Amino acid sequence: GDQAGIEAVAWRGGLVAWADSSGVRLFDIESMSRIAHIDRPTGARSSLYPTISSLHPSILFEKSDSLLIGWGDCLMALLVRDSQNPKAASKDGAPVREIRRKTVEASMAWELDCVACSVVPVDRDHVAVLGLVPSHLSPIDVDDSSDQDSKSTTPCQDYSVAGGDNALQLQLINREDGRSISIDKLPLSEGPRQRPGDNSITTANATEFRLLSSFSYPRMDSVAEWEALDATEKDAIGRDMRDSRSVPLKQLPDMQLMWNLNEDICSSGNTIQSEAVNYEDDRSVASNCSVCSDNYVFALSEPIGDILSDSAPSARSPPPTMAVVYSYDAILIQTRDVDDAISYTRSLGKPALALKQALGRRRDVRRHGLNQLVDEFFVALLRMGSCEEVKPLSFSRLKIAAESLPILLGGDSSMWQRWIFMFSRIPGGLFLIRDKIPVRDPELPAFVFELSLEKMLEEVLHGINSKDRDKSEDNYQREKGIVVGNKMADLFLETMRSWGPTSALRRRIQLFRNQQWGLQWHSLSCGSAVVSFIEQAEKDLHRRISQTAFGVLADAHHSSSSTQNDSIRQYIDSSKDSLFDVEHLITRLTARLELSDTNSLSRSPSDYKRSPAIVPGNMKDNAAVIVDSLAELELMRERFDRALGYYLTIGSHFLRDSLYLLEETAVQSVNSFSHTSVTSSTVGQAEVSYNDKYEHVLSLIELHQLSYMLLKRNYSFCNEEYHASAEPPIVALIMLVGLSRAGKFLMDNCSPPEGMVTLNDSDERETSYSGSNLPLDIVAKQMRSRPKLLYWFLFQLFTHKADIYVRFPTTAVPPAEITDLHQIQFSLFIDFSDGKGSTPNESSPSLAGFTADNDTPFMAFLRAALPHGGVLADNVREELEKYRRGAADNPMFARELAFVIEKFGKGTIEDAEQILQLYIRGAKNLYMAVAFAERNTKHSSMLWDMLVEHCTTRDPTNNDVNQSSALGALFGSLLEAAAHTGSDLASLVSRIPEGMSIEGLRPKLIAAITDYHYKVKIHEHVDSILMEDKMSVLRELSHISRRGERMECKKMRTKPEAKNTGLLSKSSSGLLKSRRLRAPSGHEPQIFSMPIR
């Protein structure tokens, strides 16, 4: 035995351990045998620690086969194992027996830097040690000066703390390396017994400090404990351990084995600190505008499912609850939870890391609200905090915040309202989150969308005004500002459409698709803008129907939705599903137009609401987006006439910068017109592509029969100043959609004139028109203010609507309105036609030059209009000669004048000479001159003499040495032209002057003769084919005339009926009589046949 007796005892199952002054002993109760004896550690002597009055060993069974020992500065763990040793066989042949013995091995032995008062297990890898750390040097270390500098500490002067001159610490020791991973100094209060002197050492009794833990309570054997439980308790423990164990339980598990310190939030302090250091704001990788100051992109870079996963950790039991007990005080010790980690992260100024910690363990958060953490996240990201130094907000931060909104806000309506308002305070913020704002789930109040739209409109107008004020900027910056302003306006209109009724979105898709099909039908290219508009509208419609909230605050939405619908899904009614009040927004936008003249209107407000007309008010340059918005809003409430009025206002007032280019393009398209390109495009190759976003206006007019709006000069109530500057509706429509599409629309909807209906510019009467047609005389009347567009429109009528403009298949006398338009078009040709036309070059002969298809537009018009009497030939000749001013070599209208003289002249020799001179000197076209000489048989000989003289006479004013070769080439062209027209080449060859050199004369004559022979053969073959066809047709007719026709008649009528009919001839009645006589008695003939020749 030991003189001091037993100091500590531990008992579990069949094992007993006790400690005395000699060491620690283990005893097996089942076999009543001693297992092991461990000597007292060297560091467990009281004389080594002057400040500690007594040492007390701490022993306990942490498992059924594991003993944990803390004594002095020594920490040990002993593992008891069962071993079997076979016993040698006896001489008498007895069987071999196995002797079971228990052995002990040390699984852990470390030297502590404190004097252990009590030890408890924490988990499989860590042990908690409550120890005293002496503050003074021990006598052994006094003489060691080298160690004194490294080990001495300042004596504790605070004697109110328990432990005297010792520091009471709680240390967590790693079993693998004995390193302290955590050291906490415990401030236990001292009792009234300690009254230290001035120079005395205050000692502490180690036996008074105890560490209690929920993982170290006295227990029985694990198997016995398990067998002592009932079935219900076993099932409950089995369910808890099911995820971590695949085999059935046979013993009650130890609590410290079910919990892991490394996987708990309490061990994340170092990780948090290292992450915070990586995102320091003052590092070189982060600037004032950088997002590297915190992990703001965690919600975007990491899968949100991984962040929000609430999968249970591998340790199923809760963390240990420990208590330090002293004679006069006690401390409850708990592991740090997620709220502690969040608080620590917030103290480091990292709200994004704090939010990430909260989201990862959001079910364990108690002291912090997710809404508050989300607010802090966005406030820090958007730099909205009240800081002394205002840091700039970068676009990358704003974009990250916008993309994080639906993830972090989810279905919380109040949070959405708050942050939509906060983003409205940032310039351009609402444009970034416009497609992130929920339109279906959660349900937001209408005023949120109205305020957002008004704020976006304010920014658009501010951008336009600032663009107009910055006159000092260069052209590049100004153009860039215009592009940005237009993009902002388009985004605003797109947002308003996406938040409006879904029926309006469906209608818009229908309008654009109808326009797309119309363009494809007319073989016009469909702009990419039309396709993008359709795709965007379909995307917005799909989002309105299927958008569902998903985010970390979805649970908060469920908890705060008591005043809302029980279901977070909103079922949409297509007629009443606008997210904002359309009528209220129309009122607000109309007030922005500064309608100062509306009070003087003759109509009352009620009449104005019923009227299809609109009030554009005092227009300014920045009001285009407002008028466009009003047009979209009128479409939403199905006032299509008003919407068309606003669209026409846009074309009339805000697109005037393109009017000059539009008119020049219209003139160029007429002057460059060719009959071969009539099926490809209406305006030729000089089309201007713009205003693609207004293409749906044409479909709007056609689908809702709004053509009558285009016939009203007063399509809007407006003041006198605006009335004087406003364009007619047709002109405004052309400015809105462009020449090509407007031309197709007008040609598809134009109709003949409706009697004597006219509209004067000063006429304010409203004329009603039925149907969707546009009388062409009224359309032309509106275009008189723009003669170049009228020039283009009348030529479109001449080209595409010839049946109602120049041909008149149903009447011999054209209407007076048409003949008046012919006179106007003739004057416009004089004013805007280039007068030169497109004629073949003399050096490149072509048979197409002699066909009517190669007429100039002016010449084609004269050919078709002069026979109707609207334009008199004498007046045309007089005007053309006046325009040419008698100059024979003036190319202006040379072909047109020659045509008029030839077709409508007197046929005199003077006219023939003038026509030939016009072709030769004016049009400079030898082929036309030769064709005319061949056509005019009356003066053909004289005309050929003039042609030969023209090709053989030298110019006395020209001293060019190459004039002879030029004359030879000219005469060669004359021979080629004569061959093409079928003239007498023999007589023309005989008139070649002596000495004239014609290059390639022989090949030209051979080609001309060969061509003539081919023409003769073609004529013969065609004639023979024609004769064969005629004979075949005659044979067919003769055969049909000889063929009999079978006829059937009804039963013979009685005599009274015959009196009424009495229409058969005598020969027919005689024939019928003879047939009856030859027929058998009682037989009445039913059918007869009669040959007809």
Side-chain angles (χ1 to χ4, degrees):
D2 187 81
Q3 296 180 358
I6 298 176
E7 301 181 15
V9 178
W11 181 18
R12 183 167 183 181
L15 299 177
V16 176
W18 68 88
D20 54 18
S21 59
S22 63
V24 179
R25 303 173 188 272
L26 275 78
F27 190 82
D28 187 0
I29 300 177
E30 295 178 354
S31 62
M32 297 302 292
S33 61
R34 185 176 61 183
I35 299 176
H37 176 270
I38 299 92
D39 292 336
R40 181 172 183 166
T42 305
R45 291 180 299 168
S46 300
S47 59
L48 298 177
Y49 312 103
T51 59
I52 301 176
S53 61
S54 63
L55 295 180
H56 181 76
S58 175
I59 61 174
L60 62 92
F61 282 97
E62 59 178 342
K63 295 187 294 183
S64 296
D65 56 354
S66 179
L67 180 65
L68 186 62
I69 304 173
W71 199 352
D73 62 352
C74 181
L75 177 65
M76 292 185 299
L78 303 179
L79 184 61
V80 180
R81 297 181 180 274
D82 291 333
S83 62
Q84 296 179 356
N85 296 324
K87 184 178 179 180
S90 62
K91 295 180 180 181
D92 55 0
V96 178
R97 292 183 303 169
E98 294 183 353
I99 301 176
R100 300 184 60 182
R101 299 184 60 183
K102 295 184 181 294
T103 60
V104 177
E105 64 180 24
S107 62
M108 175 185 66
W110 302 110
E111 182 180 356
L112 303 174
D113 57 357
C114 66
V115 178
C117 299
S118 183
V119 294
V120 293
V122 176
D123 63 358
R124 191 185 301 271
D125 300 323
H126 300 89
V127 176
V129 178
L130 179 65
L132 293 173
V133 179
S135 299
H136 291 282
L137 294 176
S138 62
I140 299 177
D141 297 330
V142 171
D143 297 333
D144 192 354
S145 59
S146 61
D147 295 341
Q148 182 178 0
D149 296 335
S150 60
K151 294 184 179 180
S152 61
T153 57
T154 303
C156 179
Q157 301 296 330
D158 188 4
Y159 296 105
S160 63
V161 178
D165 289 330
N166 305 287
L168 184 64
Q169 293 181 353
L170 177 64
Q171 300 183 5
L172 292 182
I173 308 299
N174 193 337
R175 296 175 184 263
E176 296 293 333
D177 54 9
R179 183 174 53 88
S180 299
I181 65 171
S182 175
I183 300 178
D184 292 323
K185 184 177 180 180
L186 304 181
L188 285 175
S189 299
E190 182 60 87
R193 297 186 296 109
Q194 293 282 1
R195 285 198 286 235
D198 295 336
N199 298 320
S200 62
I201 298 177
T202 304
T203 62
N205 188 355
T207 60
E208 295 184 357
F209 301 97
R210 296 295 303 275
L211 177 61
L212 305 179
S213 174
S214 58
F215 287 178
S216 63
Y217 55 88
R219 291 184 56 184
M220 298 170 55
D221 182 68
S222 300
V223 177
E225 288 178 337
W226 178 257
E227 294 176 354
L229 298 176
D230 57 13
T232 304
E233 294 173 337
K234 290 181 179 180
D235 292 340
I237 298 176
R239 286 193 299 268
D240 294 338
M241 298 296 295
R242 187 173 301 166
D243 297 335
S244 60
R245 297 178 61 92
S246 59
V247 296
L249 290 176
K250 296 182 179 180
Q251 60 182 3
L252 188 65
D254 296 292
M255 299 298 293
Q256 70 272 15
L257 302 180
M258 300 171 57
W259 183 74
N260 193 344
L261 177 67
N262 295 328
E263 297 180 2
D264 195 77
I265 189 64
C266 65
S267 62
S268 62
N270 294 332
T271 304
I272 294 173
Q273 188 174 9
S274 61
E275 289 189 32
V277 171
N278 292 333
Y279 292 102
E280 279 297 330
D281 228 347
D282 54 356
R283 284 178 168 260
S284 59
V285 296
S287 62
N288 290 335
C289 299
S290 176
V291 296
C292 296
S293 60
D294 203 351
N295 189 11
Y296 294 113
V297 296
F298 77 92
L300 307 178
S301 60
E302 303 179 22
I304 192 64
D306 296 343
I307 300 175
L308 302 181
S309 62
D310 274 343
S311 59
S314 59
R316 287 292 177 177
S317 64
T321 301
M322 294 182 288
V324 176
V325 180
Y326 179 53
S327 301
Y328 301 96
D329 199 0
I331 293 179
L332 179 65
I333 300 174
Q334 291 181 338
T335 57
R336 298 183 184 273
D337 57 7
V338 64
D339 290 292
D340 296 325
I342 294 173
S343 299
Y344 176 64
T345 310
R346 293 177 63 191
S347 66
L348 298 177
K350 307 300 175 185
L353 293 177
L355 180 60
K356 183 179 179 181
Q357 293 286 345
L359 296 182
R361 299 176 180 268
R362 65 187 185 279
R363 294 186 179 180
D364 299 328
V365 177
R366 297 294 181 267
R367 300 195 306 268
H368 297 86
L370 285 180
N371 288 0
Q372 179 186 3
L373 296 176
V374 170
D375 287 341
E376 292 178 358
F377 170 84
F378 283 114
V379 167
L381 179 58
L382 299 175
R383 301 189 186 276
M384 291 183 174
S386 55
C387 301
E388 296 179 358
E389 181 183 357
V390 179
K391 297 181 180 180
L393 176 62
S394 62
F395 178 75
S396 59
R397 281 176 171 264
L398 190 59
K399 185 177 180 181
I400 291 174
E403 294 178 356
S404 302
L405 276 178
I407 299 176
L408 298 181
L409 300 188
D412 195 326
S413 177
S414 60
M415 289 290 289
W416 272 108
Q417 296 180 40
R418 167 178 167 77
W419 281 104
I420 290 174
F421 172 74
M422 298 298 290
F423 268 86
S424 66
R425 298 166 57 184
I426 303 174
L430 290 176
F431 287 92
L432 275 178
I433 67 170
R434 62 181 187 85
D435 56 345
K436 307 292 189 302
I437 297 177
V439 295
R440 181 176 178 271
D441 179 21
E443 182 180 2
L444 300 180
F447 74 87
V448 174
F449 298 97
E450 294 175 8
L451 292 178
S452 300
L453 290 175
E454 292 189 18
K455 182 62 179 179
M456 294 174 68
L457 181 60
E458 286 286 350
E459 294 185 10
V460 173
L461 298 179
H462 177 73
I464 296 176
N465 294 335
S466 61
K467 174 188 64 178
D468 296 337
R469 290 194 301 267
D470 295 339
K471 301 297 183 182
S472 60
E473 296 181 352
D474 55 1
N475 293 332
Y476 174 76
Q477 293 294 334
R478 191 176 298 108
E479 292 295 332
K480 185 177 179 181
I482 293 175
V483 171
V484 173
N486 294 337
K487 182 62 177 177
M488 291 178 64
D490 293 340
L491 290 177
F492 165 73
L493 295 174
E494 181 180 307
T495 304
M496 184 175 62
R497 288 191 293 265
S498 64
W499 292 350
T502 55
S503 58
L505 286 173
R506 294 187 178 93
R507 190 181 304 111
R508 187 174 185 84
I509 295 173
Q510 179 187 9
L511 291 177
F512 275 103
R513 282 180 176 171
N514 183 73
Q515 185 64 23
Q516 185 181 20
W517 296 333
L519 293 176
Q520 295 175 357
W521 176 261
H522 288 297
S523 300
L524 290 177
S525 60
C526 180
S528 59
V530 177
V531 179
S532 62
F533 287 153
I534 295 176
E535 293 177 352
Q536 184 62 40
E538 291 176 345
K539 178 181 177 181
D540 294 336
L541 181 60
H542 181 267
R543 187 168 183 265
R544 288 290 302 276
I545 296 175
S546 62
Q547 181 263 330
T548 303
F550 172 77
V552 301
L553 299 185
D555 296 336
H557 169 72
H558 283 288
S559 61
S560 61
S561 59
S562 58
T563 58
Q564 301 176 1
N565 296 332
D566 294 334
S567 176
I568 63 175
R569 294 182 175 271
Q570 304 170 17
Y571 299 94
I572 291 181
D573 182 4
S574 60
S575 60
K576 298 179 181 179
D577 61 345
S578 178
L579 301 180
F580 57 89
D581 190 349
V582 177
E583 298 289 343
H584 180 259
L585 192 58
I586 289 178
T587 304
R588 297 293 298 271
L589 294 182
T590 307
R592 287 180 175 271
L593 293 179
E594 300 179 2
L595 305 178
S596 59
D597 296 323
T598 55
N599 295 330
S600 59
L601 296 174
S602 58
R603 302 193 178 194
S604 63
S606 59
D607 295 337
Y608 167 70
K609 291 182 180 181
R610 294 190 299 267
S611 173
I614 53 97
V615 183
N618 295 330
M619 288 297 174
K620 294 183 179 180
D621 293 337
N622 61 353
V625 64
I626 301 179
V627 178
D628 210 340
S629 303
L630 289 172
E632 296 291 345
L633 292 174
E634 295 293 350
L635 284 178
M636 292 179 187
R637 65 173 185 172
E638 300 184 0
R639 290 301 305 270
F640 306 114
D641 46 1
R642 284 176 173 268
L644 179 59
Y646 282 117
Y647 282 129
L648 295 178
T649 302
I650 294 173
S652 174
H653 187 82
F654 300 105
L655 299 178
R656 290 186 178 180
D657 295 340
S658 61
L659 183 58
Y660 173 77
L661 181 61
L662 191 70
E663 292 180 335
E664 294 301 323
T665 304
V667 173
Q668 182 183 358
S669 65
V670 176
N671 294 338
S672 61
F673 179 82
S674 174
H675 284 274
T676 58
S677 63
V678 67
T679 59
S680 60
S681 177
T682 304
V683 297
Q685 300 177 353
E687 175 62 293
V688 180
S689 59
Y690 58 94
N691 296 337
D692 290 337
K693 66 178 182 179
Y694 296 117
E695 291 182 0
H696 66 285
V697 176
L698 300 178
S699 299
L700 177 68
I701 297 173
E702 292 177 344
L703 292 179
H704 299 284
Q705 298 185 357
L706 300 177
S707 298
Y708 67 92
M709 289 287 295
L710 301 177
L711 303 177
K712 294 183 178 182
R713 183 63 179 85
N714 55 340
Y715 59 89
S716 64
F717 302 141
C718 47
N719 50 33
E720 295 297 331
E721 180 182 358
Y722 181 80
H723 179 78
S725 61
E727 297 290 344
I730 298 295
V731 177
L733 182 65
I734 296 175
M735 296 168 64
L736 193 67
V737 301
L739 284 175
S740 177
R741 295 169 178 82
K744 287 296 183 183
F745 171 78
L746 292 176
M747 294 304 103
D748 291 341
N749 294 275
C750 270
S751 61
E754 294 188 358
M756 300 300 294
V757 178
T758 59
L759 286 178
N760 298 325
D761 293 341
S762 60
D763 189 7
E764 297 295 336
R765 296 174 301 172
E766 292 188 1
T767 309
S768 60
Y769 299 92
S770 59
S772 59
N773 294 328
L774 301 173
L776 60 90
D777 56 335
I778 300 179
V779 175
K781 186 73 173 180
Q782 290 190 18
M783 292 189 180
R784 288 186 179 180
S785 59
R786 298 293 175 182
K788 293 183 179 180
L789 294 181
L790 180 59
Y791 174 57
W792 165 81
F793 170 70
L794 293 178
F795 187 74
Q796 302 307 308
L797 288 177
F798 168 70
T799 306
H800 300 280
K801 305 289 283 188
D803 291 341
I804 63 174
Y805 190 65
V806 290
R807 291 180 184 173
F808 311 109
T810 59
T811 180
V813 180
E817 293 83 358
I818 299 296
T819 55
D820 294 341
L821 293 179
H822 288 175
Q823 296 178 6
I824 296 174
Q825 188 173 5
F826 171 73
S827 301
L828 294 175
F829 267 116
I830 296 295
D831 295 336
F832 302 117
S833 177
D834 54 8
K836 299 180 181 179
S838 57
T839 59
N841 195 325
E842 293 183 2
S843 62
S844 58
S846 174
L847 291 175
F850 305 105
T851 62
D853 291 339
N854 200 46
D855 288 344
T856 63
F858 191 13
M859 189 172 176
F861 167 73
L862 293 176
R863 190 188 301 275
L866 285 176
H868 298 295
V871 182
L872 300 180
D874 294 338
N875 295 338
V876 173
R877 181 174 181 178
E878 181 181 355
E879 291 293 333
L880 294 180
E881 289 178 346
K882 184 188 301 183
Y883 191 88
R884 289 174 52 82
R885 299 178 181 177
D889 56 352
N890 187 0
M892 298 298 295
F893 302 119
R895 292 183 59 187
E896 288 79 3
L897 181 57
F899 167 75
V900 173
I901 296 175
E902 180 182 0
K903 294 297 182 181
F904 301 97
K906 297 179 180 179
T908 61
I909 190 171
E910 291 81 5
D911 290 347
E913 292 178 354
Q914 185 178 359
I915 293 172
L916 191 65
Q917 291 296 330
L918 288 172
Y919 283 136
I920 295 176
R921 302 180 61 185
K924 294 180 176 58
N925 195 312
L926 186 60
Y927 298 94
M928 292 184 178
V930 172
F932 170 69
E934 189 66 21
R935 289 196 306 267
N936 195 333
T937 57
K938 183 177 180 181
H939 307 290
S940 178
S941 177
M942 183 269 298
L943 295 176
W944 278 108
D945 293 339
M946 293 179 63
L947 286 173
V948 172
E949 182 180 0
H950 171 72
C951 296
T952 57
T953 304
R954 293 177 176 268
D955 187 3
T957 62
N958 190 359
N959 298 326
D960 190 1
V961 294
N962 298 324
Q963 189 174 4
S964 299
S965 60
L967 290 176
L970 185 61
F971 204 92
S973 299
L974 180 63
L975 290 175
E976 289 187 62
H980 284 302
T981 56
S983 303
D984 188 2
L985 287 180
S987 62
L988 190 60
V989 170
S990 64
R991 301 179 66 173
I992 299 176
E994 296 182 1
M996 176 176 286
S997 175
I998 302 176
E999 184 177 358
L1001 176 61
R1002 182 182 180 86
K1004 290 181 180 180
L1005 292 177
I1006 294 176
I1009 295 173
T1010 304
D1011 184 64
Y1012 176 75
H1013 287 310
Y1014 279 134
K1015 288 182 179 179
V1016 171
K1017 290 182 180 180
I1018 291 173
H1019 177 74
E1020 291 176 353
H1021 283 291
V1022 171
D1023 184 67
S1024 63
I1025 292 173
L1026 177 62
M1027 293 302 298
E1028 292 177 0
D1029 290 343
K1030 290 172 62 176
M1031 295 298 297
S1032 176
V1033 172
L1034 290 175
R1035 290 192 187 96
E1036 183 71 19
L1037 292 176
S1038 176
H1039 177 72
I1040 292 175
S1041 64
R1042 292 196 304 269
R1043 185 172 60 190
E1045 181 179 359
R1046 181 179 181 86
M1047 301 180 61
E1048 295 181 1
C1049 64
K1050 296 180 180 181
K1051 186 176 180 179
M1052 297 300 297
R1053 298 192 180 106
T1054 59
K1055 290 184 178 181
E1057 294 177 352
K1059 289 182 180 180
N1060 296 331
T1061 57
L1063 299 177
L1064 296 176
S1065 61
K1066 293 182 179 181
S1067 59
S1068 301
S1069 60
L1071 179 62
L1072 295 175
K1073 184 177 179 181
S1074 62
R1075 292 290 181 91
R1076 288 197 301 270
L1077 292 176
R1078 289 195 297 270
S1081 59
H1083 175 72
E1084 298 180 358
Q1086 298 287 337
I1087 302 174
F1088 71 93
S1089 61
M1090 180 174 62
I1092 300 176
R1093 293 184 177 274

